[in-house]
Structure formats: C-alpha cells, structure tokens
Amino acid sequence: VTTAPQFVVRNIQVSGIQVLTEAEVAELSGSVGQSIWLVQTDAVVARMLQSAYIEDASASVALPDTLHIALVERRPELRWQVGDTRYLVDAAGLVLGPDTTGAITNTLVIEDRSGQPIQANDRIDPAVLQFCQLLAVRLPAEAGVTPAGISWDPSNGVVIVTPDGRTIVFGRMENVEEKIKVLQFLTVQEPTQFTYLDLRPEAPYYRNDAPAPAQPETP
C-alpha cells in the first residue's frame, strides 16, 4: 500500500496566498511525488516557515493523493497619508477615516503625492495597495532593500525610498517580476552604486548623484 502509485502526492491545494504562487508553495513543501503515507505534515510546516513571506502555516493530507496547505502570509498594516493626515484603509481600498491611534510602529504608510484630498468612504485603487504590500514583503527578502518610505502619484506610480536615501521608481504592477530581478541584480548579485533607479522603461535607467569620495592630498 505504501508504494502503490495511486497514493502518491500529486495534488497540492493551497489557501491564504497573496504574494506566493501555488507552484512556489508546492516546491517549498518538498512533497510532490512522495507517498502520501510518508508525508510528515509537521516537516512540511517547518519548511513553509523557512520562507520570509510566511508567518504561519498548517498542513494535512487527504486520500488518495492530496496535500492541503493553509498559509498566513506576512502582510504589513497599512495607512494612507495625505499631507499630515493618515487614514485607515481596508483591504478593498475603502477609506474608513482618519487614523486616531497616535504613534504607530511596524506599519506600512503610503504617502499620497497626487495632491487630491480624500475623505471617509472614498476608495483607493486596491491594485496600488496590493503592489505596495507586495514590495514591502518581497524586497527585504529578495533584494536586501527595506523601504524607509513608499509613495504614490498618478505620474510615477509607486516609488520607494531606501534608508540610505536612494529612490527607486517601480511605477505600476506590470512586469513586477522583471523589476524585482533588476533590483536584485543591482543590489545583491552585482552591487552597484546608484541614487536613482527607474524600473519602468524596458531598459531600466539609473544614475549616481552621490559626491565622489575626497581624494587624499598629494604631499
């Protein structure tokens, strides 16, 4: 029975994903093609939790060939800032009203630079919110970049400012995988000095406006 082909894991059902894909979760589980009798769900969960994107996980099996995985991804809290006012926004982009909770920590704040006022019951484009949350989760793990600030405006789209003052223009969600790969190349694979990076063009553009290091005086 343990070696019968009908009891091999072929179907992996995943719930709770927003950033990761089902294929990535299936690969991370390490269970495809394994006898369902030999799948150790606690080991599957341990492998899930190795991902920087996953906060919590559970797993179970169902005969004859299915592994169920439920995930809770890390999703930073979100505030939408217009001028000096921060607004609470739900996952669908509905503006709930001004944030009166006072000082906040570990919260994603998106600065709206469009110049347009907002009020309760207005709606923010949920695609913009999703994109900002995706970058806040993925960039530290994949490109070594933890955003110090995230802003949005209709002209530039989403713009990241790093703790060391670099500006990275992502624009909109289109071609996000390619944009992250370019940033990863410039920050991890081939570290490159830049102060401004525009990932929107087909050929991304960067420049370095940092002053050149002072040369020692010749005696």
Side-chain angles (χ1 to χ4, degrees):
V1 173
T2 59
T3 60
Q6 63 266 37
F7 297 118
V8 169
V9 175
R10 295 184 180 87
N11 181 26
I12 296 184
Q13 298 182 356
V14 185
S15 62
I17 53 174
Q18 297 291 330
V19 175
L20 295 171
T21 65
E22 289 188 358
E24 290 171 333
V25 174
E27 182 178 358
L28 189 60
S29 75
S31 301
V32 177
Q34 184 177 355
S35 169
I36 199 166
W37 308 106
L38 302 179
V39 172
Q40 296 181 336
T41 54
D42 56 347
V44 172
V45 169
R47 287 193 289 272
M48 292 293 109
L49 297 179
Q50 290 176 0
S51 171
Y53 308 133
I54 299 174
E55 182 175 4
D56 198 9
S58 62
S60 61
V61 295
L63 295 176
D65 62 356
T66 301
L67 172 64
H68 296 279
I69 299 176
L71 301 179
V72 177
E73 292 185 339
R74 290 188 172 91
R75 294 177 62 81
E77 294 186 30
L78 187 147
R79 301 292 188 275
W80 189 265
Q81 181 160 336
V82 179
D84 295 329
T85 304
R86 287 177 176 151
Y87 294 85
L88 297 169
V89 181
D90 72 5
L94 181 67
V95 179
L96 306 178
D99 178 13
T100 59
T101 58
I104 56 175
T105 58
N106 299 321
T107 300
L108 179 62
V109 177
I110 304 170
E111 182 183 358
D112 184 343
R113 295 184 177 178
S114 68
Q116 299 297 318
I118 66 171
Q119 59 185 357
N121 294 318
D122 285 349
R123 193 170 293 276
I124 308 298
D125 184 354
V128 173
L129 305 181
Q130 181 185 3
F131 190 25
C132 291
Q133 291 175 314
L134 181 148
L135 294 177
V137 171
R138 292 185 60 176
L139 293 188
E142 297 185 28
V145 173
T146 300
I150 300 181
S151 64
W152 175 89
D153 69 77
S155 176
N156 294 307
V158 174
V159 179
I160 301 291
V161 176
T162 67
D164 57 1
R166 292 178 293 176
T167 298
I168 305 170
V169 183
F170 276 88
R172 303 186 184 276
M173 181 75 84
E174 292 83 358
N175 302 316
V176 61
E177 298 299 331
E178 289 78 6
K179 293 173 181 177
I180 292 177
K181 287 179 181 177
V182 170
L183 180 59
Q184 183 183 57
F185 179 82
L186 294 175
T187 57
V188 178
Q189 295 174 268
E190 296 287 342
T192 303
Q193 295 295 323
F194 66 86
T195 56
Y196 178 88
L197 170 63
D198 192 342
L199 295 168
R200 294 172 298 173
E202 185 175 346
Y205 161 79
Y206 72 88
R207 67 173 185 262
N208 185 18
D209 295 330
Q215 299 296 323
E217 296 184 2
T218 303

